[in-house]
PDB file of all heavy atoms in Angstrom:
ATOM      1  N   THR A 113      18.243   8.499  29.222  1.00 94.00           N
ATOM      2  CA  THR A 113      19.569   9.108  29.356  1.00 94.00           C
ATOM      3  C   THR A 113      19.608  10.486  28.767  1.00 94.00           C
ATOM      4  O   THR A 113      20.611  11.197  28.921  1.00 94.00           O
ATOM      5  CB  THR A 113      20.673   8.235  28.673  1.00 94.00           C
ATOM      6  OG1 THR A 113      20.409   8.185  27.225  1.00 94.00           O
ATOM      7  CG2 THR A 113      20.656   6.811  29.265  1.00 94.00           C
ATOM      8  N   LEU A 114      18.597  10.929  28.002  1.00 92.00           N
ATOM      9  CA  LEU A 114      18.589  12.202  27.317  1.00 92.00           C
ATOM     10  C   LEU A 114      18.029  13.282  28.218  1.00 92.00           C
ATOM     11  O   LEU A 114      17.305  12.961  29.188  1.00 92.00           O
ATOM     12  CB  LEU A 114      17.704  12.118  26.066  1.00 92.00           C
ATOM     13  CG  LEU A 114      18.069  11.058  25.014  1.00 92.00           C
ATOM     14  CD1 LEU A 114      17.008  11.050  23.928  1.00 92.00           C
ATOM     15  CD2 LEU A 114      19.424  11.356  24.471  1.00 92.00           C
ATOM     16  N   SER A 115      18.338  14.511  28.026  1.00 93.00           N
ATOM     17  CA  SER A 115      17.784  15.610  28.804  1.00 93.00           C
ATOM     18  C   SER A 115      16.256  15.671  28.555  1.00 93.00           C
ATOM     19  O   SER A 115      15.753  15.078  27.550  1.00 93.00           O
ATOM     20  CB  SER A 115      18.437  16.950  28.379  1.00 93.00           C
ATOM     21  OG  SER A 115      17.976  17.306  27.061  1.00 93.00           O
ATOM     22  N   ALA A 116      15.502  16.324  29.441  1.00 94.00           N
ATOM     23  CA  ALA A 116      14.081  16.410  29.288  1.00 94.00           C
ATOM     24  C   ALA A 116      13.684  17.087  27.995  1.00 94.00           C
ATOM     25  O   ALA A 116      12.794  16.646  27.332  1.00 94.00           O
ATOM     26  CB  ALA A 116      13.524  17.136  30.537  1.00 94.00           C
ATOM     27  N   ALA A 117      14.449  18.086  27.638  1.00 92.00           N
ATOM     28  CA  ALA A 117      14.112  18.799  26.381  1.00 92.00           C
ATOM     29  C   ALA A 117      14.375  17.914  25.145  1.00 92.00           C
ATOM     30  O   ALA A 117      13.596  17.968  24.179  1.00 92.00           O
ATOM     31  CB  ALA A 117      14.949  20.100  26.272  1.00 92.00           C
ATOM     32  N   THR A 118      15.471  17.116  25.156  1.00 91.00           N
ATOM     33  CA  THR A 118      15.733  16.232  24.071  1.00 91.00           C
ATOM     34  C   THR A 118      14.727  15.022  24.052  1.00 91.00           C
ATOM     35  O   THR A 118      14.316  14.696  22.924  1.00 91.00           O
ATOM     36  CB  THR A 118      17.158  15.684  24.196  1.00 91.00           C
ATOM     37  OG1 THR A 118      18.068  16.790  24.217  1.00 91.00           O
ATOM     38  CG2 THR A 118      17.553  14.825  22.945  1.00 91.00           C
ATOM     39  N   GLN A 119      14.278  14.619  25.114  1.00 92.00           N
ATOM     40  CA  GLN A 119      13.239  13.568  25.199  1.00 92.00           C
ATOM     41  C   GLN A 119      11.979  14.143  24.558  1.00 92.00           C
ATOM     42  O   GLN A 119      11.336  13.403  23.723  1.00 92.00           O
ATOM     43  CB  GLN A 119      12.926  13.195  26.646  1.00 92.00           C
ATOM     44  CG  GLN A 119      13.976  12.383  27.313  1.00 92.00           C
ATOM     45  CD  GLN A 119      13.622  12.125  28.776  1.00 92.00           C
ATOM     46  OE1 GLN A 119      12.463  12.227  29.208  1.00 92.00           O
ATOM     47  NE2 GLN A 119      14.637  11.766  29.546  1.00 92.00           N
ATOM     48  N   GLU A 120      11.597  15.352  24.873  1.00 91.00           N
ATOM     49  CA  GLU A 120      10.416  15.959  24.241  1.00 91.00           C
ATOM     50  C   GLU A 120      10.570  16.076  22.749  1.00 91.00           C
ATOM     51  O   GLU A 120       9.675  15.781  21.963  1.00 91.00           O
ATOM     52  CB  GLU A 120      10.136  17.359  24.885  1.00 91.00           C
ATOM     53  CG  GLU A 120       8.870  18.063  24.318  1.00 91.00           C
ATOM     54  CD  GLU A 120       7.611  17.299  24.544  1.00 91.00           C
ATOM     55  OE1 GLU A 120       7.500  16.511  25.477  1.00 91.00           O
ATOM     56  OE2 GLU A 120       6.710  17.560  23.753  1.00 91.00           O
ATOM     57  N   GLN A 121      11.750  16.572  22.273  1.00 88.00           N
ATOM     58  CA  GLN A 121      11.996  16.653  20.887  1.00 88.00           C
ATOM     59  C   GLN A 121      11.865  15.310  20.172  1.00 88.00           C
ATOM     60  O   GLN A 121      11.319  15.157  19.091  1.00 88.00           O
ATOM     61  CB  GLN A 121      13.381  17.247  20.627  1.00 88.00           C
ATOM     62  CG  GLN A 121      13.783  17.592  19.231  1.00 88.00           C
ATOM     63  CD  GLN A 121      13.031  18.777  18.683  1.00 88.00           C
ATOM     64  OE1 GLN A 121      12.036  18.592  18.008  1.00 88.00           O
ATOM     65  NE2 GLN A 121      13.522  19.952  19.028  1.00 88.00           N
ATOM     66  N   PHE A 122      12.367  14.244  20.850  1.00 87.00           N
ATOM     67  CA  PHE A 122      12.320  12.878  20.295  1.00 87.00           C
ATOM     68  C   PHE A 122      10.885  12.478  20.163  1.00 87.00           C
ATOM     69  O   PHE A 122      10.523  11.933  19.131  1.00 87.00           O
ATOM     70  CB  PHE A 122      13.085  11.933  21.239  1.00 87.00           C
ATOM     71  CG  PHE A 122      13.120  10.537  20.808  1.00 87.00           C
ATOM     72  CD1 PHE A 122      14.059  10.041  19.874  1.00 87.00           C
ATOM     73  CD2 PHE A 122      12.187   9.611  21.290  1.00 87.00           C
ATOM     74  CE1 PHE A 122      14.070   8.758  19.452  1.00 87.00           C
ATOM     75  CE2 PHE A 122      12.177   8.301  20.889  1.00 87.00           C
ATOM     76  CZ  PHE A 122      13.092   7.892  19.925  1.00 87.00           C
ATOM     77  N   ILE A 123      10.071  12.621  21.158  1.00 89.00           N
ATOM     78  CA  ILE A 123       8.648  12.245  21.131  1.00 89.00           C
ATOM     79  C   ILE A 123       7.964  12.987  20.061  1.00 89.00           C
ATOM     80  O   ILE A 123       7.102  12.467  19.344  1.00 89.00           O
ATOM     81  CB  ILE A 123       7.988  12.441  22.568  1.00 89.00           C
ATOM     82  CG1 ILE A 123       8.633  11.477  23.537  1.00 89.00           C
ATOM     83  CG2 ILE A 123       6.487  12.246  22.460  1.00 89.00           C
ATOM     84  CD1 ILE A 123       8.462   9.995  23.262  1.00 89.00           C
ATOM     85  N   GLN A 124       8.223  14.321  19.970  1.00 86.00           N
ATOM     86  CA  GLN A 124       7.534  15.112  18.909  1.00 86.00           C
ATOM     87  C   GLN A 124       7.942  14.642  17.506  1.00 86.00           C
ATOM     88  O   GLN A 124       7.091  14.744  16.551  1.00 86.00           O
ATOM     89  CB  GLN A 124       7.920  16.591  19.030  1.00 86.00           C
ATOM     90  CG  GLN A 124       7.267  17.298  20.304  1.00 86.00           C
ATOM     91  CD  GLN A 124       5.782  17.206  20.259  1.00 86.00           C
ATOM     92  OE1 GLN A 124       5.209  17.478  19.294  1.00 86.00           O
ATOM     93  NE2 GLN A 124       5.242  16.881  21.443  1.00 86.00           N
ATOM     94  N   THR A 125       9.140  14.095  17.340  1.00 83.00           N
ATOM     95  CA  THR A 125       9.549  13.599  16.074  1.00 83.00           C
ATOM     96  C   THR A 125       8.635  12.457  15.581  1.00 83.00           C
ATOM     97  O   THR A 125       8.410  12.261  14.371  1.00 83.00           O
ATOM     98  CB  THR A 125      11.009  13.138  16.112  1.00 83.00           C
ATOM     99  OG1 THR A 125      11.835  14.225  16.447  1.00 83.00           O
ATOM    100  CG2 THR A 125      11.470  12.474  14.826  1.00 83.00           C
ATOM    101  N   TYR A 126       8.160  11.707  16.569  1.00 85.00           N
ATOM    102  CA  TYR A 126       7.246  10.562  16.204  1.00 85.00           C
ATOM    103  C   TYR A 126       5.775  10.998  16.277  1.00 85.00           C
ATOM    104  O   TYR A 126       5.004  10.577  15.406  1.00 85.00           O
ATOM    105  CB  TYR A 126       7.459   9.423  17.156  1.00 85.00           C
ATOM    106  CG  TYR A 126       8.745   8.675  16.796  1.00 85.00           C
ATOM    107  CD1 TYR A 126       9.970   9.066  17.448  1.00 85.00           C
ATOM    108  CD2 TYR A 126       8.793   7.684  15.834  1.00 85.00           C
ATOM    109  CE1 TYR A 126      11.143   8.476  17.097  1.00 85.00           C
ATOM    110  CE2 TYR A 126       9.993   7.041  15.577  1.00 85.00           C
ATOM    111  CZ  TYR A 126      11.116   7.412  16.191  1.00 85.00           C
ATOM    112  OH  TYR A 126      12.331   6.826  15.883  1.00 85.00           O
ATOM    113  N   TYR A 127       5.346  11.700  17.294  1.00 88.00           N
ATOM    114  CA  TYR A 127       3.912  11.930  17.554  1.00 88.00           C
ATOM    115  C   TYR A 127       3.479  13.342  17.327  1.00 88.00           C
ATOM    116  O   TYR A 127       2.282  13.649  17.316  1.00 88.00           O
ATOM    117  CB  TYR A 127       3.568  11.551  19.004  1.00 88.00           C
ATOM    118  CG  TYR A 127       3.710  10.067  19.292  1.00 88.00           C
ATOM    119  CD1 TYR A 127       4.885   9.583  19.773  1.00 88.00           C
ATOM    120  CD2 TYR A 127       2.676   9.195  18.975  1.00 88.00           C
ATOM    121  CE1 TYR A 127       5.043   8.173  20.023  1.00 88.00           C
ATOM    122  CE2 TYR A 127       2.771   7.824  19.214  1.00 88.00           C
ATOM    123  CZ  TYR A 127       3.971   7.332  19.716  1.00 88.00           C
ATOM    124  OH  TYR A 127       4.113   5.995  19.919  1.00 88.00           O
ATOM    125  N   GLY A 128       4.406  14.277  17.131  1.00 85.00           N
ATOM    126  CA  GLY A 128       4.026  15.709  17.010  1.00 85.00           C
ATOM    127  C   GLY A 128       3.444  16.053  15.632  1.00 85.00           C
ATOM    128  O   GLY A 128       3.411  15.264  14.693  1.00 85.00           O
ATOM    129  N   ASP A 129       2.937  17.242  15.486  1.00 81.00           N
ATOM    130  CA  ASP A 129       2.352  17.726  14.200  1.00 81.00           C
ATOM    131  C   ASP A 129       3.304  17.656  13.030  1.00 81.00           C
ATOM    132  O   ASP A 129       2.871  17.369  11.923  1.00 81.00           O
ATOM    133  CB  ASP A 129       1.862  19.201  14.391  1.00 81.00           C
ATOM    134  CG  ASP A 129       0.688  19.250  15.345  1.00 81.00           C
ATOM    135  OD1 ASP A 129      -0.029  18.286  15.497  1.00 81.00           O
ATOM    136  OD2 ASP A 129       0.434  20.386  15.858  1.00 81.00           O
ATOM    137  N   SER A 130       4.606  17.872  13.296  1.00 76.00           N
ATOM    138  CA  SER A 130       5.548  17.731  12.147  1.00 76.00           C
ATOM    139  C   SER A 130       6.364  16.499  12.288  1.00 76.00           C
ATOM    140  O   SER A 130       7.386  16.333  11.561  1.00 76.00           O
ATOM    141  CB  SER A 130       6.497  18.967  12.150  1.00 76.00           C
ATOM    142  OG  SER A 130       7.220  19.039  13.392  1.00 76.00           O
ATOM    143  N   GLY A 131       5.833  15.529  13.017  1.00 79.00           N
ATOM    144  CA  GLY A 131       6.526  14.215  13.115  1.00 79.00           C
ATOM    145  C   GLY A 131       6.058  13.265  12.011  1.00 79.00           C
ATOM    146  O   GLY A 131       5.382  13.644  11.083  1.00 79.00           O
ATOM    147  N   ILE A 132       6.351  11.967  12.248  1.00 79.00           N
ATOM    148  CA  ILE A 132       6.065  10.989  11.169  1.00 79.00           C
ATOM    149  C   ILE A 132       4.642  10.414  11.223  1.00 79.00           C
ATOM    150  O   ILE A 132       4.203   9.644  10.469  1.00 79.00           O
ATOM    151  CB  ILE A 132       7.010   9.816  11.203  1.00 79.00           C
ATOM    152  CG1 ILE A 132       7.014   9.029  12.455  1.00 79.00           C
ATOM    153  CG2 ILE A 132       8.471  10.294  10.861  1.00 79.00           C
ATOM    154  CD1 ILE A 132       7.847   7.737  12.459  1.00 79.00           C
ATOM    155  N   GLY A 133       3.823  10.900  12.230  1.00 81.00           N
ATOM    156  CA  GLY A 133       2.440  10.591  12.266  1.00 81.00           C
ATOM    157  C   GLY A 133       1.996   9.402  13.119  1.00 81.00           C
ATOM    158  O   GLY A 133       0.937   8.864  12.931  1.00 81.00           O
ATOM    159  N   TYR A 134       2.881   8.998  14.040  1.00 88.00           N
ATOM    160  CA  TYR A 134       2.457   7.939  14.963  1.00 88.00           C
ATOM    161  C   TYR A 134       1.196   8.377  15.770  1.00 88.00           C
ATOM    162  O   TYR A 134       1.114   9.556  16.175  1.00 88.00           O
ATOM    163  CB  TYR A 134       3.555   7.595  15.938  1.00 88.00           C
ATOM    164  CG  TYR A 134       4.554   6.649  15.418  1.00 88.00           C
ATOM    165  CD1 TYR A 134       4.676   6.284  14.047  1.00 88.00           C
ATOM    166  CD2 TYR A 134       5.455   5.965  16.271  1.00 88.00           C
ATOM    167  CE1 TYR A 134       5.636   5.357  13.609  1.00 88.00           C
ATOM    168  CE2 TYR A 134       6.424   5.095  15.852  1.00 88.00           C
ATOM    169  CZ  TYR A 134       6.480   4.792  14.502  1.00 88.00           C
ATOM    170  OH  TYR A 134       7.431   3.944  14.082  1.00 88.00           O
ATOM    171  N   THR A 135       0.323   7.443  16.050  1.00 91.00           N
ATOM    172  CA  THR A 135      -0.835   7.739  16.831  1.00 91.00           C
ATOM    173  C   THR A 135      -0.986   6.762  18.020  1.00 91.00           C
ATOM    174  O   THR A 135      -1.847   6.998  18.856  1.00 91.00           O
ATOM    175  CB  THR A 135      -2.150   7.667  15.997  1.00 91.00           C
ATOM    176  OG1 THR A 135      -2.213   6.374  15.392  1.00 91.00           O
ATOM    177  CG2 THR A 135      -2.072   8.718  14.909  1.00 91.00           C
ATOM    178  N   THR A 136      -0.220   5.689  18.046  1.00 92.00           N
ATOM    179  CA  THR A 136      -0.288   4.703  19.139  1.00 92.00           C
ATOM    180  C   THR A 136       1.037   4.280  19.635  1.00 92.00           C
ATOM    181  O   THR A 136       2.040   4.518  18.904  1.00 92.00           O
ATOM    182  CB  THR A 136      -1.074   3.446  18.712  1.00 92.00           C
ATOM    183  OG1 THR A 136      -0.334   2.812  17.656  1.00 92.00           O
ATOM    184  CG2 THR A 136      -2.498   3.728  18.232  1.00 92.00           C
TER     185      THR A 136
END
Side-chain angles (χ1 to χ4, degrees):
T113 65
L114 304 174
S115 69
T118 305
Q119 289 177 19
E120 179 63 24
Q121 186 72 261
F122 180 85
I123 295 298
Q124 290 302 316
T125 299
Y126 287 91
Y127 294 94
D129 291 339
S130 59
I132 63 173
Y134 277 13
T135 57
T136 65

